[in-house]
Amino acid sequence: MALISAINPLLTAGWQTGGHEWRMEKDAGWRLKDYEARGGYKALRKIINDKLTQDDVIGEVKKSALRGRGGAGFPTGLKWGFMPKAAPVKYIVCNTDEGEPGTFKDRDLLRYDPHSVIEGMIIAGYAVGAALGYNYIHGEIYEIYQRFEEALDEARAAGYLGGNILGSGFNFDLFAHQGWGAYICGEESALLESIEGKKGQPRFKPPFPANVGLYGKPTTINNTESFAAIPFIFNIGGENYLNLGKPNNGGTKLYSVSGHVNRPGNYEVPMGTPFATLLEMAGGMRGGRKLKAVIPGGSSAPVLPAEIMMDCTMDYDSLAKAGSMLGSGAVIVMDETVCMVKALERLSYFYFEESCGQCTPCREGTGWLYRIVHRIEHGQGRADDLELLNSLTENIMGRTICALGDAAALPVRSFTKHFKSEFEYHIEHKKCLVPPDVQYEGSKIYVRPSAC
Amino acid sequence: MLSEDALKKIDREVAKYPADQKQSAVMAALVIAQDEKGWLDRETIGDVADYLGMAQIAAYEVATFYNMYDLAPVGKHKLTVCTNLPCALSGGVHAADYLKKKLGIDFNETTPDGMFTLKEGECLGACGDAPVLLVNNKRMCCFMTPEEIDKLIAECK
Ligand SMILES: Cc1cc2nc3c(=O)[nH]c(=O)nc-3n(C[C@H](O)[C@H](O)[C@H](O)COP(=O)(O)O)c2cc1C
Ligand code: FES
């Protein structure tokens, strides 16, 4: 804690993190009574009691400089402001289809603090004038989906959901929709198709969901962590939230740290925290080994070599400047035992497997990328393969309906750029630069000490 | 046909959506059908579509699009192990190898006694708890060391 306090005086003044960290560490109880005991639903009550207008609520969110936590970092207040006022039917949708490799924060939010998401969605409904919402939950976390449904029942019974909420005349109901195994449904328009009971294939944009969304109606769609931040913003005030982080990068952020650290897990820190601090919080490098590379924002974000990463702070602007992105906040840490060709091969397989098949450059291109990286890894690489990979990525990027194509291309471009010599060695010598027994040791089953 | 109990569960899903949007319940309805039948044959998918008043082909499209629907019989326990990169850095592949050896099958195979099917999974959204695996789509098992895997297999038998 001492480290964090040093970063920001507001934190020493009593505003801890967004409140998630201690809940996760101590599992402070997910039930309604536990949530209320720690100040839950106070933000909603205050908004209703003070009769805040829709513009007041959106204005406060704008002040907080909250940026969407789902990957693109779009300002949440601005997004809410896009919703047409006059439309009679509107929807709120939460994106908990967390399938970006490396990301596991939304699962913990729903597991330990489902009511913060519910309260955030109700406030969003109030702000944009929507009466119905859905939370789309990743199919693989069925037990969490069940818990969320229980939390919804609690909220309904307590009068936070349903008709005339807390006597305000405002109606809002909320339901959970389960996914069933399709990464592409994390893309917002594919997710809307999926709620409509169809294949999850992304839609052309524009029109954006704020104009034509679920069932063709204006829809606000945000990530789970974005909604969970909303009550906290109203409890401490938009400006204070902003000041927790740094300008244009307001508040705190949950980072899912995985890979070669001593304590993989979720850590919430203020925006702008040095990567070195986060690494230290996650227990440092496993076995004292040397850091080789980090993917700082989920598998779709460009990889960064250790030297560059150690100079970064964890926020949108710093990582963009370094040539990567904050993405979903999934920090994948790799040490010197990792063969970068093999690592990329696995990621490329993922995008090949998950492409929805709608756009030719992505459907065919992801297969090409995988097969070429595969042949390099397996000692059959050809002299011009790196050039071929590069031209393939150029033929994918920007030529598809959604960003999955770019997400498949960016790892290829960044791995081959920063670790070019390793790929060249593979092609020339038909084997890994990192000896197989070293790789084997480094990828053995590791369970963090406190987990058993 | 699906049982009364299954239809009741489907009704509960249908009630979540606007009255003219019954098709929205098709994903959940197919899950309910799969739980009851073990896997989804064409007839079952057709029954679900009829019940929701949608074209059979539209339900079939959904069933073939999403990974966790089983369109062919699987073992009594379907084990899906995540081997994606974040998990692989903490033993995902080693855990899968251990399972393959223990069960004597490869990915996409079923043990001769029909008890276990092994699948390779993509990110389950639990990378910090690696190695992770899913039992029959719905139960997530975390920190799967060889000892934990032994326990799980013994419990399933
Ligand atoms: C292939 C792909 C996968 C995505 N997966 C997710 C996801 O799992 N969760 C998420 O919140 N956003 C995901 N997104 C981003 C969403 O499209 C959308 O930007 C986000 O839900 C908006 O919420 P926010 O503004 O609160 O970040 C994905 C985007 C793409 C292109
Ligand atoms: S990579 Fe295995 S659960 Fe995320």
Side-chain angles (χ1 to χ4, degrees), chain A residues 45-118:
Chain A
R45 282 180 189 281
K46 188 164 176 296
I47 288 169
I48 286 174
N49 290 342
D50 294 354
K51 296 198 165 50
L52 294 192
T53 64
Q54 297 185 346
D55 286 340
D56 291 340
V57 175
I58 294 176
E60 200 63 31
V61 176
K62 280 186 178 160
K63 252 194 249 164
S64 76
L66 172 66
R67 292 173 62 172
R69 304 301 196 222
F74 193 83
T76 304
L78 197 59
K79 189 187 266 189
W80 292 11
F82 290 154
M83 290 287 276
K85 282 230 159 71
V89 179
K90 297 174 232 182
Y91 296 103
I92 298 292
V93 172
C94 176
N95 186 344
T96 313
D97 192 40
E98 188 173 55
E100 170 89 359
T103 321
F104 47 93
K105 62 191 177 63
D106 299 338
R107 164 181 177 244
D108 271 3
L109 275 173
L110 291 190
R111 175 156 62 164
Y112 297 128
D113 208 19
H115 282 285
S116 69
V117 178
I118 297 173

Side-chain angles (χ1 to χ4, degrees), chain B residues 96-112:
Chain B
D97 286 344
Y98 183 80
L99 262 168
K100 286 181 190 170
K101 215 155 142 204
K102 185 171 172 82
L103 299 175
I105 52 174
D106 210 335
F107 284 136
N108 298 318
E109 289 179 359
T110 300
T111 52

Side-chain angles (χ1 to χ4, degrees), chain A residues 200-212:
Chain A
Q201 292 190 323
R203 300 172 179 170
F204 275 106
K205 286 187 266 186
F208 289 93
N211 290 309
V212 182

Side-chain angles (χ1 to χ4, degrees), chain A residues 11-325:
Chain A
L11 295 172
T12 10
W15 303 122
Q16 297 299 322
T17 62
H20 302 305
E21 186 198 14
W22 58 269
R23 276 172 270 182
M24 300 209 172
E25 295 262 316
K26 303 201 183 102
D27 195 359
W30 62 274
R31 295 255 170 215
L32 178 61
K33 63 172 172 37
D34 306 313
Y35 184 62
E36 285 178 327
R38 54 179 182 259
Y41 289 105
K42 244 206 246 156
L44 176 67
R45 282 180 189 281
K46 188 164 176 296
I47 288 169
I48 286 174
N49 290 342
D50 294 354
K51 296 198 165 50
L52 294 192
T53 64
Q54 297 185 346
D55 286 340
D56 291 340
V57 175
I58 294 176
E60 200 63 31
V61 176
K62 280 186 178 160
K63 252 194 249 164
S64 76
L66 172 66
R67 292 173 62 172
R69 304 301 196 222
F74 193 83
T76 304
L78 197 59
K79 189 187 266 189
W80 292 11
F82 290 154
M83 290 287 276
K85 282 230 159 71
V89 179
K90 297 174 232 182
Y91 296 103
I92 298 292
V93 172
C94 176
N95 186 344
T96 313
D97 192 40
E98 188 173 55
E100 170 89 359
T103 321
F104 47 93
K105 62 191 177 63
D106 299 338
R107 164 181 177 244
D108 271 3
L109 275 173
L110 291 190
R111 175 156 62 164
Y112 297 128
D113 208 19
H115 282 285
S116 69
V117 178
I118 297 173
E119 187 180 2
M121 290 185 73
I122 300 169
I123 294 172
Y126 182 93
V128 306
L132 192 53
Y134 295 97
N135 186 5
Y136 189 102
I137 300 177
H138 198 214
E140 286 82 346
I141 51 171
Y142 186 76
E143 288 137 320
I144 308 277
Y145 165 83
Q146 285 178 306
R147 175 175 290 189
F148 189 73
E149 292 224 303
E150 266 189 71
L152 287 177
D153 287 341
E154 286 184 330
R156 217 169 275 130
Y160 293 121
L161 285 175
N164 192 19
I165 293 171
L166 305 174
S168 63
F170 163 60
N171 310 322
F172 186 76
D173 214 341
L174 179 55
F175 298 96
H177 181 105
Q178 81 190 105
W180 208 240
Y183 167 66
I184 190 60
C185 289
E187 197 282 334
E188 56 188 18
S189 62
L191 185 149
L192 298 176
E193 288 284 299
S194 186
I195 298 184
E196 293 181 4
K198 302 174 192 156
K199 289 188 287 186
Q201 292 190 323
R203 300 172 179 170
F204 275 106
K205 286 187 266 186
F208 289 93
N211 290 309
V212 182
L214 184 61
Y215 308 127
K217 302 284 190 276
T219 301
T220 292
I221 173 162
N222 278 117
N223 172 254
T224 319
E225 190 187 351
S226 309
F227 283 120
I230 297 296
F232 184 61
I233 288 172
F234 282 88
N235 286 331
I236 70 167
E239 205 156 313
N240 281 332
Y241 184 84
L242 165 62
N243 291 335
L244 278 176
K246 58 187 238 190
N248 195 33
N249 296 263
T252 58
K253 169 88 186 84
L254 268 164
Y255 293 99
S256 303
V257 185
S258 67
H260 289 141
V261 294
N262 282 314
R263 266 184 288 123
N266 283 310
Y267 296 90
E268 183 165 20
V269 292
M271 283 287 181
T273 299
F275 168 72
T277 308
L278 183 64
L279 184 61
E280 198 173 315
M281 288 173 81
M285 295 302 293
R286 190 179 301 166
R289 293 195 298 255
K290 209 171 132 226
L291 179 68
K292 180 172 187 175
V294 177
I295 305 178
S299 64
S300 312
V303 67
L304 292 175
E307 320 75 83
I308 298 184
M309 197 62 211
M310 289 307 283
D311 285 337
C312 287
T313 56
M314 298 303 293
D315 54 82
Y316 297 96
D317 296 343
S318 163
L319 290 170
K321 214 171 122 198
S324 186
M325 54 197 205

Side-chain angles (χ1 to χ4, degrees), chain B residues 24-39:
Chain B
S24 284
V26 66
M27 289 181 69
L30 288 170
V31 173
I32 293 164
Q34 175 166 306
D35 284 350
E36 182 160 299
K37 304 276 186 183
W39 63 287

